[in-house]
Amino acid sequence: MGDENLHQSPPISNVDQSAQQTLIRYLQDLPEADKPSASNAPSRKTPNSRANDGKPRLLLMGQRRSGKSSISSVVFHKLPPPETLYLETTTRIKKEYMHSFMDFQVWDFPGHLNYTDPSFDTEEIFGEIGALIWVIDAQDDFFDAVTKLNELIQYLQENYPEIIVEVFIHKVDGLSDDYLSDTYQIIVDRVQDELEDSGHPLGNVSFHRTSIYDHSIYEAFSKVIQKLIFEIGPLESLLTTLCANCKMEKAYLFDVLSKIYIASDLSPSDSSSYEISSEYVDLVVDISEIYGWDRNELEGGDTEQIEEDPEVGNQDAESLIVLEKKNGSYLYLKEINKYLALICIMGDDSPTDRKALIDYNVGVFQETLKQIFPR
Amino acid sequence: MSSSKRLKQRKVLLMGKSGAGKSSMRSIVFSNYVAKDVRRLGATIDVEHSNIKFMGNLMLNLWDCGGQDGFVENYLLHSRSHVFGGVAVLIFVFDIESREFAADVINYGNIIRALEECSPNAKVFCLIHKMDLVQSGFRHSLFEQRAEHIRAASESFGEAVEFFPTSIWDQSLYKAWTQIIYFLIPNAQTIESMLQDLAEVIHAREIILYERTTCLMVTHITKGTELQNPFTDRFERISSILKTHKHSMAKHMGVPAGSANFAELQIKTGRFMFFITRLTENTNLAVSLPPYEYIFNSARVNISLMRPRFAELELSNKKRPDIGSRTESNDDSRERGEGAN
């Protein structure tokens, strides 16, 4: 793999040899570096690859012990949050490769590196990324982190102005609401002030409050990913139309594996709807895992379908929850393709009588989506 | 309530060192706490009683006994027969992180002797708790080691003591409690044979009967190929999945977790069909079926037809011995016309 990296990244001329070695060591250390190879060559021209091959790269950066590895373990490896206590310090760049409706990579960086150090092959690191996620530990002394972040933003805006910078104000679970909003405001102000002072507009920087102990980290990731999806506009308007026609309160398009939602309808969103949808996906996936095991050999003569990947869930799975309480909502889930599922929250007057209409409309939606995402 | 007299009360003692996690455990299993809320709990003073009604005629009479030394001394000396008399089950909770394990075992020995004296027929369950605090690689060996020690101090209960590693942060808690509940249910055979018939009629692969508020499994019927299901821990997993979901629904709707029940849950996929529906006042039925629409629909109808018979089972204690003779006589109109689509 290291060889491949070497070949793809012809050394930038002005970087001296020993520094180049350091970076190569970092890159070679990657145990299972996933193949950025195919996408690299064509996207070289544009610094931001989103329009090009649909395989954006996310960088996770921040001070050491700010929670970068915990985030990537929880979101991409489904590590239970309490287990992150046992994670060891990251000493090399770790790449996570998300194979889903769209492929993207997450690079987890060690916290002790100085990312703008010219001895790094910055072109290799920042050259093709879609978004940079900067993690700040809100429970710790964050002034250093903010200073470093500001340096990085300024550097990026001079060199790679198209990169989106997402600041995750992290570990907010332990903070009281008041304290949290103060902290949040202080960080935002400091970043803003300093950028304005140095003559850079705030531009592509946005802020999220996150914690691995609740859904906020997934929501934040969802928002980051949505900015990188080229087809987001049509998707949103499709979902909005679907909602209007089926009298749904809210519709989300979920990536089932990561629980990141890649689009929702345009009605105002609150985190509680996201939460319930996400936990609903969990419920269906968990139960599907338990009973969807591969029993084809056992039931000869049965007409059950054979799927390649039992863990993703079953073809066109469908689910409905009817609540006992009269004014409660209904939840509806429909698997759209191998990676995506549509979750709808419906109001109280719903679905049994309009089930046929919903089925039909969702079918149409599914067809349309196939044209947008051919696989 | 006239029927309460007919309920069979089963006394369950929950004991262990102060801070071992007894009340946390109880709050999660029986009072719809989520794991992180148990931080709010204070120390239990003396004994807290709670009654939980289960499937059939089981009434759980749970004594959550405060574990501070003063209280324990009081149980052992002054109210020995009151506390330890008529006990069906003793659940003793050990804290895996405890620094004075030897002292814990001595306390356990004292309690075991009191139990031996007052209720020699009681069943003892030992839960080695807070297992999440041990790194996963060491969990098993540490658990075995502790269990061996404790078993040696179990006097005449010796071999009959059952050990479970538990943690409030995963499904192990449900695994342990499901075993405890199953032990306590008096008419498990009757329920099982009725469910067996039901499973036959609706072509179910698997039927799980669970209690609605706690999501603890009462019993299950597994048939045919489902016996080879690789997920042998699926029952406690389902308990924990359903409980989690219940909390999220409650949070979304802004109601207490106890009242956030769904009337029905359906999942249809190319490999199986699954639904959960209400069976009796306190229980839900989860059914896994082969993936055919007609089986799914007929199963729903058949279950709604079976409801009155199960409801009757929950009430009647007197009739219990001659259960076989009364089965056909009951076609009253309490079925809820759910109908097939």
Side-chain angles (χ1 to χ4, degrees):
Chain A
M1 198 62 237
D3 281 341
E4 256 180 272
N5 274 323
L6 237 169
H7 292 309
Q8 295 150 17
S9 51
I12 313 293
S13 51
N14 59 359
V15 179
D16 77 87
Q17 205 53 37
S18 66
Q20 185 64 26
Q21 283 301 325
T22 330
L23 181 76
I24 288 168
R25 212 193 69 230
Y26 275 117
L27 292 174
Q28 272 172 343
D29 273 347
L30 310 174
E32 39 190 33
D34 309 282
K35 308 182 176 81
S37 46
S39 61
N40 271 5
S43 60
R44 192 130 280 260
K45 281 162 254 158
T46 44
N48 188 337
S49 67
R50 61 179 154 165
N52 232 352
D53 57 358
K55 291 186 185 175
R57 188 190 299 168
L58 301 178
L59 299 192
L60 271 173
M61 292 182 168
Q63 296 285 85
R64 57 188 291 277
R65 305 193 54 78
S66 58
K68 302 174 292 301
S69 303
S70 303
I71 290 178
S72 81
S73 308
V74 168
V75 175
F76 300 107
H77 294 286
K78 300 281 161 271
L79 188 76
E83 303 268 319
T84 57
L85 282 176
Y86 304 122
L87 284 180
E88 308 213 340
T89 310
T90 311
T91 50
R92 357 159 143 161
I93 304 171
K94 275 206 301 204
K95 294 179 183 176
E96 311 288 351
Y97 189 63
M98 273 259 314
H99 181 65
S100 181
F101 68 100
M102 60 179 228
D103 300 331
F104 61 90
Q105 307 168 49
V106 179
W107 287 25
D108 182 9
F109 276 71
H112 59 264
L113 295 184
N114 184 2
Y115 307 116
T116 53
D117 190 330
S119 59
F120 281 127
D121 183 354
T122 46
E123 179 65 23
E124 170 71 20
I125 296 174
F126 298 114
E128 295 137 31
I129 68 172
L132 184 143
I133 296 169
W134 186 271
V135 185
I136 294 180
D137 181 351
Q139 294 188 17
D140 201 6
D141 182 15
F142 47 77
F143 291 106
D144 265 1
V146 173
T147 317
K148 282 209 165 177
L149 169 64
N150 282 330
E151 283 168 15
L152 186 66
I153 294 175
Q154 289 175 25
Y155 173 80
L156 288 178
Q157 292 197 334
E158 277 158 23
N159 298 284
Y160 306 97
E162 286 186 50
I163 291 177
I164 300 169
V165 179
E166 306 281 340
V167 183
F168 283 13
I169 298 171
H170 195 52
K171 308 192 193 176
V172 298
D173 47 285
L175 305 179
S176 70
D177 287 350
D178 286 351
Y179 188 77
L180 169 60
S181 55
D182 284 353
T183 310
Y184 179 82
Q185 207 51 51
I186 292 171
I187 294 176
V188 174
D189 285 350
R190 279 184 72 104
V191 173
Q192 238 160 3
D193 288 353
E194 261 186 66
L195 284 183
E196 274 165 18
D197 288 351
S198 61
H200 294 88
L202 197 53
N204 292 338
V205 186
S206 38
F207 299 86
H208 308 266
R209 288 165 236 212
T210 59
S211 159
I212 51 170
Y213 289 94
D214 57 28
H215 293 86
S216 55
I217 188 70
Y218 295 99
E219 268 199 285
F221 255 105
S222 303
K223 285 180 182 140
V224 174
I225 300 282
Q226 283 169 27
K227 287 186 190 164
L228 303 176
I229 295 175
F230 189 58
E231 303 89 345
I232 186 75
L235 278 180
E236 281 180 343
S237 69
L238 266 175
L239 285 169
T240 312
T241 318
L242 182 70
C243 277
N245 287 330
C246 295
K247 292 197 184 130
M248 292 165 177
E249 279 176 8
K250 191 81 195 159
Y252 290 99
L253 197 56
F254 263 78
D255 177 57
V256 175
L257 279 184
S258 60
K259 287 194 289 164
I260 286 170
Y261 73 97
I262 65 164
S264 72
D265 68 303
L266 291 169
S267 67
S269 166
D270 59 354
S271 52
S272 125
S273 319
Y274 168 75
E275 252 170 61
I276 195 157
S277 308
S278 145
E279 300 207 348
Y280 184 31
V281 173
D282 275 349
L283 175 86
V284 174
V285 167
D286 287 348
I287 291 181
S288 302
E289 197 191 339
I290 290 174
Y291 288 110
W293 55 285
D294 199 352
R295 66 186 94 218
N296 289 303
E297 301 147 33
L298 300 165
E299 291 181 10
D302 220 304
T303 51
E304 285 175 311
Q305 308 152 4
I306 300 165
E307 276 123 357
E308 316 86 66
D309 193 351
E311 278 180 353
V312 181
N314 296 279
Q315 232 171 26
D316 287 4
E318 189 187 336
S319 169
L320 179 70
I321 288 187
V322 182
L323 283 175
E324 194 176 48
K325 287 193 67 122
K326 290 251 160 41
N327 54 0
S329 39
Y330 296 77
L331 289 171
Y332 174 81
L333 176 144
K334 174 91 181 172
E335 196 174 339
I336 297 296
N337 62 27
K338 201 170 159 196
Y339 306 108
L340 300 178
L342 173 75
I343 317 287
C344 307
I345 300 176
M346 284 175 271
D348 90 43
D349 58 333
S350 285
T352 28
D353 31 334
R354 279 188 292 112
K355 186 75 175 25
L357 178 73
I358 292 170
D359 281 347
Y360 178 76
N361 281 334
V362 170
V364 173
F365 175 77
Q366 197 172 358
E367 281 307 308
T368 323
L369 209 68
K370 265 186 197 144
Q371 293 168 23
I372 299 181
F373 293 118
R375 58 200 181 105
Chain B
M1 204 172 111
S2 64
S3 69
S4 66
K5 256 181 263 162
R6 285 183 287 158
L7 288 171
K8 189 160 183 179
Q9 293 248 3
R10 305 276 270 174
K11 182 165 161 187
V12 178
L13 290 185
L14 186 55
M15 293 189 138
K17 199 178 71 159
S18 172
K22 301 174 291 300
S23 302
S24 303
M25 194 182 273
R26 178 179 62 107
S27 312
I28 290 173
V29 176
F30 297 104
S31 315
N32 285 305
Y33 273 58
V34 276
K36 66 180 177 211
D37 287 349
V38 301
R39 275 179 229 163
R40 297 202 302 253
L41 291 170
T44 307
I45 304 300
D46 210 29
V47 181
E48 279 179 17
H49 300 269
S50 40
N51 287 314
I52 302 110
K53 195 172 171 245
F54 255 88
M55 177 68 195
N57 39 21
L58 170 65
M59 173 77 99
L60 217 59
N61 185 6
L62 188 66
W63 292 43
D64 180 1
C65 307
Q68 288 167 38
D69 293 344
F71 299 135
V72 176
E73 204 180 302
N74 183 36
Y75 307 144
L76 288 170
L77 297 176
H78 306 294
S79 41
R80 197 172 177 101
S81 60
H82 170 65
V83 173
F84 293 101
V87 173
V89 164
L90 166 72
I91 302 169
F92 201 93
V93 184
F94 285 93
D95 180 350
I96 190 88
E97 283 260 285
S98 167
R99 273 142 209 229
E100 306 130 356
F101 179 62
D104 295 350
V105 175
I106 292 170
N107 285 333
Y108 168 75
N110 292 338
I111 285 173
I112 283 291
R113 272 188 291 280
L115 188 70
E116 205 174 6
E117 190 184 306
C118 305
S119 337
N121 295 321
K123 171 91 178 165
V124 180
F125 291 92
C126 284
L127 307 186
I128 312 226
H129 199 45
K130 308 193 189 173
M131 288 304 279
D132 56 295
L133 295 177
V134 182
Q135 274 205 41
S136 49
F138 301 107
R139 277 177 201 166
H140 187 71
S141 60
L142 190 59
F143 168 70
E144 290 294 334
Q145 192 192 329
R146 292 280 160 99
E148 211 43 58
H149 256 283
I150 298 164
R151 196 186 290 287
S154 299
E155 306 280 329
S156 65
F157 294 101
E159 288 305 304
V161 178
E162 288 192 44
F163 292 90
F164 295 98
T166 55
S167 157
I168 56 170
W169 299 97
D170 61 31
Q171 69 232 12
S172 57
L173 189 64
Y174 292 97
K175 179 172 179 152
W177 278 92
T178 302
Q179 299 290 322
I180 297 169
I181 294 301
Y182 187 78
F183 174 80
L184 286 166
I185 285 184
N187 48 0
Q189 273 88 21
T190 319
I191 298 170
E192 273 174 3
S193 75
M194 282 172 80
L195 285 175
Q196 190 78 48
D197 295 346
L198 181 65
E200 197 68 52
V201 171
I202 63 176
H203 304 289
R205 283 173 175 166
E206 183 155 81
I207 290 186
I208 299 173
L209 181 72
Y210 70 90
E211 201 276 332
R212 277 161 68 85
T213 35
T214 58
C215 296
L216 285 177
M217 181 181 76
V218 176
T219 182
H220 69 95
I221 302 292
T222 308
K223 296 174 74 74
T225 55
E226 200 63 50
L227 288 168
Q228 289 159 45
N229 190 322
F231 298 99
T232 45
D233 61 346
R234 60 187 180 280
F235 308 112
E236 54 266 21
R237 268 167 83 154
I238 287 175
S239 291
S240 127
I241 293 167
L242 291 171
K243 192 89 177 223
T244 313
H245 187 253
K246 195 185 181 100
H247 284 298
S248 81
M249 295 303 275
K251 204 164 143 202
H252 178 68
M253 299 190 302
V255 298
S259 54
N261 292 306
F262 46 69
E264 188 162 84
L265 160 74
Q266 309 176 352
I267 298 175
K268 299 177 184 176
T269 76
R271 290 183 173 222
F272 70 97
M273 292 201 176
F274 177 87
F275 69 95
I276 293 179
T277 186
R278 180 128 180 201
L279 190 67
T280 65
E281 191 191 338
N282 295 314
T283 54
N284 274 2
L285 202 60
V287 185
S288 154
L289 299 161
Y292 303 102
E293 197 75 28
Y294 70 93
I295 292 182
F296 184 82
N297 290 330
S298 68
R300 288 177 63 199
V301 177
N302 278 318
I303 288 177
S304 66
L305 291 173
M306 280 292 273
R307 272 196 195 110
R309 278 171 57 183
F310 280 99
E312 189 191 347
L313 193 68
E314 273 207 339
L315 290 177
S316 63
N317 194 15
K318 277 183 260 169
K319 281 191 195 169
R320 192 156 60 89
D322 53 27
I323 190 90
S325 63
R326 72 189 168 83
T327 41
E328 254 58 63
S329 61
N330 218 306
D331 53 349
D332 73 5
S333 54
R334 278 189 53 199
E335 70 181 71
R336 280 154 246 182
E338 297 229 341
N341 297 339

